[in-house]
Amino acid sequence: MAPSLDDGSSLFNFVVRDGNGVKGMVDLGLSTVPKPYVQPPKERIDKRMASRHEGAPIDLSRLDGPDHDEVVKGIVMAAETLGFFQLVNHGVPVDLLESLKDAAHDFFGQPSEKKAVYRKEVSPSPLVKYGTSFVPEKEKALEWKDYISMIYTNDAEALQQWPKECREVALEYLKTSMTMVRRLLEILMGNLGVELDDTKIDGLIGMKMVNMNFYPTCPDPDLTVGVGRHSDMGTLTILLQDGIGGLYVKVAEEIANIGKKGEWVEIPPVPGALVINIGDALQILSNGKYKSAEHRVCTTSTKSRVSVPIFTSPRPSEKIAPLPQVVEKDGMACYREVIFGDYMRNFFGNVHDGKKSLEFAQI
């Protein structure tokens, strides 16, 4: 039964509890933004006040030639400043990326009841969760986003338990991205004086998850957000954007040719590129040398948008703390040792609020 758009609790039940999502609400026909989605003015994205990140993407294929040192320097500098960079020639086939976007549209284009079977409370698999917003039960204003989240354990379980509309292409995306992730970690950890072996890499990215995000068209994008201000909790995030754009990153400290402290910068879509961002775990391990990027996503009135992130992070049982090599150089640790599972529970137990999640580990 269609909800009353003016009745907050009826709408919440329809969108969140019954699993119709934002898309189900939009499909009812909206001319205005329902009240539960209207963000307070300070959380709205004023695109006129944001600049575009015009820097060229980093060409990862140049690592294997005479430009190796220059590429390493570019990756390290991006990790130390904005916490975001774009990569081309990353080793993930471009036609696979196109198939991935199509698969995301196919999944979210299904009738609500086909998606709702994966709601957390009823999902047939502990690896798959379909939802909307971030922590809708606690949010003052909801985010204009639906998502499907797929945890990776092994290939067989992914092919058996992930949704059939997207499992093969999502698994291929994850597997073909791992060589790139490994190379990035070798560069970033090598710069901190740490040599990586398989055990250490597993400690950094032992947990992997592929999400597909869907941002339906919105009647008044100025009042809403697709995703609120936050940093990612893990080690590295790999993100495929479609051509619509809408990803904004906050400049933590003034960066020449990019922006002043506190400004928001749009990361424009580049055909064939993947966006990489530093997560909280890597900020903790590097004792603050690498910056987890505070970012958010705006909505659009013209066309539904999809994005497909891979989240890599330590396993929940892993202890993380600033690396001894870095602490020795810095003279003090800025973060305490935490069990990553505790960090995760804190992260998912609170609404998006910039980089507040890091306070859990701060000394």
Side-chain angles (χ1 to χ4, degrees):
M1 196 174 83
S4 159
L5 295 175
D6 299 324
D7 176 353
S9 91
S10 158
L11 188 65
F12 186 90
N13 287 337
F14 177 81
V15 172
V16 179
R17 298 221 166 96
D18 301 341
N20 289 288
V22 179
K23 184 174 187 302
M25 176 180 73
V26 169
D27 287 348
L28 297 171
L30 291 180
S31 55
T32 58
V33 173
K35 200 160 172 237
Y37 287 90
V38 176
Q39 294 288 330
K42 72 179 178 66
E43 297 300 340
R44 296 175 197 171
I45 299 171
D46 187 347
K47 295 175 199 156
R48 294 163 307 184
M49 299 298 288
S51 56
R52 272 168 74 88
H53 188 301
E54 302 294 1
I58 295 170
D59 183 344
L60 202 61
S61 67
R62 291 170 61 223
L63 263 183
D64 300 321
D67 300 331
H68 175 273
D69 291 356
E70 188 191 326
V71 175
V72 167
K73 190 178 165 189
I75 289 168
V76 167
M77 195 169 133
E80 290 178 347
T81 52
L82 195 60
F84 255 86
F85 52 97
Q86 300 211 58
L87 287 183
V88 290
N89 296 322
H90 36 62
V92 184
V94 173
D95 57 353
L96 174 65
L97 300 181
E98 292 306 311
S99 302
L100 204 55
K101 290 183 251 185
D102 292 342
H105 279 289
D106 288 347
F107 178 82
F108 289 102
Q110 299 180 99
S112 294
E113 57 273 16
K114 288 269 183 73
K115 297 174 282 190
V117 297
Y118 293 109
R119 279 179 301 125
K120 186 171 70 175
E121 302 78 13
V122 297
S123 180
S125 167
L127 307 181
V128 183
K129 177 189 163 190
Y130 165 75
T132 189
S133 201
F134 183 61
V135 193
E137 294 78 11
K138 293 187 177 181
E139 288 161 348
K140 289 192 173 77
L142 298 169
E143 298 177 349
W144 198 269
K145 176 189 86 166
D146 299 331
Y147 67 88
I148 183 87
S149 178
M150 298 168 278
I151 295 170
Y152 177 79
T153 46
N154 57 55
D155 291 8
E157 288 192 344
L159 290 171
Q160 193 181 10
Q161 298 183 37
W162 290 5
K164 67 176 189 305
E165 296 75 19
C166 53
R167 58 186 168 211
E168 286 177 7
V169 70
L171 180 60
E172 190 63 19
Y173 171 49
L174 177 67
K175 289 169 72 175
T176 52
S177 296
M178 283 306 117
T179 305
M180 164 189 69
V181 169
R182 189 183 181 114
R183 295 195 85 176
L184 292 173
L185 286 174
E186 283 168 351
I187 288 167
L188 293 169
M189 301 309 271
N191 177 60
L192 300 175
V194 178
E195 268 195 50
L196 288 180
D197 55 27
D198 288 350
T199 309
K200 281 185 182 147
I201 285 192
D202 190 59
L204 293 169
I205 57 166
M207 189 168 76
K208 303 172 191 72
M209 187 162 76
V210 182
N211 274 28
M212 288 184 163
N213 298 324
F214 187 76
Y215 304 94
T217 52
C218 174
D220 192 345
D222 290 343
L223 297 178
T224 58
V225 297
V227 183
R229 301 175 296 110
H230 72 290
S231 55
D232 293 344
M233 68 173 185
T235 303
L236 287 176
T237 300
I238 297 90
L239 176 77
L240 169 65
Q241 304 199 71
D242 65 11
I244 293 166
L247 174 63
Y248 290 81
V249 182
K250 192 175 189 179
V251 180
E253 298 293 338
E254 184 159 345
I255 310 168
N257 305 324
I258 292 178
K260 295 188 171 68
K261 181 176 179 173
E263 281 183 351
W264 289 89
V265 176
E266 185 182 4
I267 307 289
V270 173
L274 288 168
V275 180
I276 311 295
N277 71 276
I278 307 297
D280 291 351
L282 199 49
Q283 178 160 334
I284 292 166
L285 289 159
S286 69
N287 206 33
K289 193 172 176 67
Y290 299 141
K291 309 290 188 284
S292 68
E294 183 177 341
H295 56 289
R296 56 186 182 173
V297 176
C298 71
T299 58
T300 168
S301 60
T302 51
K303 211 174 172 191
S304 294
R305 174 180 185 265
V306 293
S307 68
V308 190
I310 296 171
F311 298 108
T312 67
S313 58
R315 294 181 198 278
S317 57
E318 201 78 42
K319 288 178 179 167
I320 61 164
L323 296 157
Q325 297 92 322
V326 188
V327 175
E328 195 179 328
K329 208 184 265 180
D330 292 350
M332 61 175 285
C334 302
Y335 303 95
R336 63 187 177 91
E337 181 180 84
V338 293
I339 296 167
F340 193 66
D342 294 341
Y343 194 87
M344 281 173 64
R345 272 186 289 281
N346 178 67
F347 183 86
F348 286 115
N350 292 291
V351 301
H352 282 149
D353 188 8
K355 290 183 66 168
K356 204 171 182 352
S357 53
L358 266 170
E359 289 176 10
F360 182 79
Q362 238 155 3
I363 291 175

